[in-house]
């Protein structure tokens, strides 16, 4: 890698260091060429005769180019201790810097061990900055390189969705709740084969059925299609009365006119100024068929 990077431009040498843990099935393998048995807990200079069930993997990825390169892996039992992660990360960053590559960021998920390790590095960097009377900007310094900390976007998306399930979100003075998505989903399901968002299922919106570890489930629940459906429904200032629950999409609408569609839900909406209720009802019946 070092010999190959010597011909690269400075822009191509910019890279980020990614690390994560992957689950393994405990298994022993005899490597004849090295006359050793693999499958035990192994951190390079520290090997224990305990079956490993996880691997801590480090990989480099170009920031301005699309190259990527796995550089090291370690066999571990369960989650790696935060202190061990710090030691390994320092060694990895040092080796990467010695190979004339330029690391600018570390990327990991929001696991408790990784967050603890990052906080340890941040405290060390902050103390060093304070001693030198320098401003601390939240980066971590390893081998005289300041590295930005970036949490994995897919895990951020899942974390946002998981918090949104039981907490309201305030944006520009407006409050959004998970019940808004539930309301639109239930109303959409009543349209049968004419549904607008057919990809949304019970596994996306109901907590007891949700697959919380799948990124695709969170992405589809918070997708642009769902956003468009919410915006489309709210633009009519309607609320839908089902058989078992009442879902209100707009409050305080004066002078409602009742329209019944072919899909059975009873829609209550206010007529825009200058528009007759009959023509508006006809449009709604056409949409609900």
């Amino acid at each position: 890698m070092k010999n190959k990077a010597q011909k690269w431009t400075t822009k191509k040498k910019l890279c980020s260091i990614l690390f994560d843990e992957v689950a393994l099935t405990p298994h022993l393998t005899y490597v004849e060429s090295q006359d050793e048995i693999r499958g035990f807990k192994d951190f390079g200079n520290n090997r224990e005769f305990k079956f490993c069930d996880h691997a801590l993997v480090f990989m480099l990825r170009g920031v301005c180019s699309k190259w990527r390169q796995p550089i090291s892996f370690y066999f571990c039992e369960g989650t790696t201790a935060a202190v061990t992660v710090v030691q390994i990360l320092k060694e990895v960053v040092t080796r990467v810097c010695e190979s004339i590559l330029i690391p600018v960021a570390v990327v990991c998920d929001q696991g408790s061990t990784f967050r603890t390790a990052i906080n340890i590095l941040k405290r060390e960097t902050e103390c060093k900055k304070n001693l030198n009377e320098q401003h601390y900007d939240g980066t971590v310094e390893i081998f005289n390189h300041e590295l930005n900390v970036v949490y994995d976007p897919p895990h951020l998306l899942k974390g946002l969705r998981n918090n949104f399930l039981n907490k309201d979100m305030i944006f520009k003075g407006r409050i959004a709740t998970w019940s808004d998505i539930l309301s639109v989903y239930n109303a959409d399901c009543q349209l049968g084969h004419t549904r607008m968002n057919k990809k949304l299922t019970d596994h996306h919106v109901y907590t007891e059925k949700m697959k919380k570890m799948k990124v695709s489930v969170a992405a589809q629940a918070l997708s642009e299609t769902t956003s468009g459906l919410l915006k489309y429904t709210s633009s009519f200032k309607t609320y839908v009365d089902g058989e078992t629950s009442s879902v209100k999409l707009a409050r305080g609408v004066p002078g409602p006119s009742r329209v019944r569609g072919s899909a059975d839900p009873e829609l209550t909406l206010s007529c825009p100024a200058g528009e007759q209720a009959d023509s508006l009802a006809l449009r709604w019946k056409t949409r609900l068929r």
Side-chain angles (χ1 to χ4, degrees):
M1 189 71 183
K2 182 177 180 179
N3 295 332
K4 189 175 182 180
Q6 289 178 350
K7 301 178 182 179
W8 290 357
T9 62
T10 302
K11 187 176 181 180
K12 192 173 182 179
K13 292 178 183 177
L14 298 175
C15 64
S16 56
I17 301 174
L18 296 77
F19 60 97
D20 196 5
E21 286 182 336
V22 295
L24 301 175
T25 301
H27 178 72
L28 295 179
T29 303
Y30 175 67
V31 182
E32 186 176 359
S33 60
Q34 299 183 9
D35 191 25
E36 69 175 13
I37 298 176
R38 292 182 180 176
F40 295 112
K41 185 177 179 180
D42 190 355
F43 287 105
N45 56 359
N46 182 18
R47 193 180 189 207
E48 300 179 20
F49 289 104
K50 296 181 179 179
F51 289 105
C52 70
D53 54 11
H54 284 77
L56 178 62
V57 184
F58 286 80
M59 185 178 76
L60 299 179
R61 182 167 185 171
V63 174
C64 301
S65 53
K66 295 183 179 181
W67 64 268
R68 63 187 70 181
Q69 177 64 50
I71 53 175
S72 65
F73 62 90
Y74 305 87
F75 294 125
C76 51
E77 181 187 21
T79 304
T80 308
V83 177
T84 305
V85 174
V86 171
Q87 294 174 350
I88 295 175
L89 185 57
K90 287 182 178 180
E91 181 181 356
V92 169
V93 173
T94 302
R95 294 292 183 87
V96 171
C97 294
E98 290 175 350
S99 67
I100 72 174
L101 293 174
I102 307 174
V104 296
V106 291
V107 182
C108 63
D109 61 27
Q110 290 180 293
S112 58
T113 302
F114 291 162
R115 285 190 286 112
T116 302
I118 293 297
N119 289 334
I120 292 174
L121 292 171
K122 284 185 175 182
R123 285 195 295 268
E124 291 179 357
T125 305
E126 186 177 8
C127 290
K128 185 177 180 180
K129 294 283 187 180
N130 291 337
L131 290 175
N132 295 329
E133 297 182 353
Q134 297 176 346
H135 173 68
Y136 176 64
D137 55 1
T139 58
V140 296
E141 184 175 334
I142 303 175
F143 198 69
N144 297 324
H145 272 73
E146 291 187 355
L147 304 172
N148 295 285
V149 178
V150 180
Y151 289 113
D152 196 14
H155 287 82
L156 291 176
L157 184 62
K158 288 194 297 184
L160 175 65
R161 192 275 316 275
N162 292 341
N163 279 282
F164 196 27
L165 291 175
N166 48 33
K167 300 179 181 68
D168 295 342
M169 185 182 298
I170 301 176
F171 181 72
K172 293 184 178 180
R174 298 185 178 183
I175 300 176
T177 65
W178 187 256
S179 61
D180 295 333
I181 296 179
L182 273 172
S183 302
V184 172
Y185 171 71
N186 290 329
D188 191 36
C189 286
Q190 296 177 14
L191 300 180
H193 67 279
T194 60
R195 285 186 58 192
M196 297 182 184
N197 194 353
K198 296 182 179 180
K199 290 185 177 180
L200 217 59
T201 66
D202 290 355
H203 296 288
H204 294 84
V205 297
Y206 290 110
T207 307
E208 61 274 10
K209 298 181 180 180
M210 192 174 294
K211 300 176 181 178
K212 293 187 177 181
M213 291 302 294
K214 295 196 67 173
V215 177
S216 60
V217 173
Q220 289 171 346
L222 303 177
S223 65
E224 187 177 1
T225 304
T226 304
S227 174
L229 187 57
L230 284 164
K231 187 175 181 180
Y232 174 80
T233 308
S234 64
S235 66
F236 290 96
K237 296 183 174 60
T238 69
Y239 65 84
V240 181
D241 292 332
E243 294 180 359
T244 59
S245 63
S246 176
V247 181
K248 195 168 184 180
L249 301 178
R251 295 182 174 87
V253 180
S257 299
R258 294 196 171 273
V259 181
R260 181 173 293 276
S262 60
D264 280 339
E266 189 173 73
L267 303 176
T268 302
L269 60 153
S270 63
C271 297
E275 185 168 3
Q276 297 296 326
D278 292 338
S279 62
L280 187 60
L282 180 61
R283 294 213 321 267
W284 268 98
K285 286 181 179 179
T286 304
R287 288 192 178 95
L288 291 173
R289 284 173 183 168

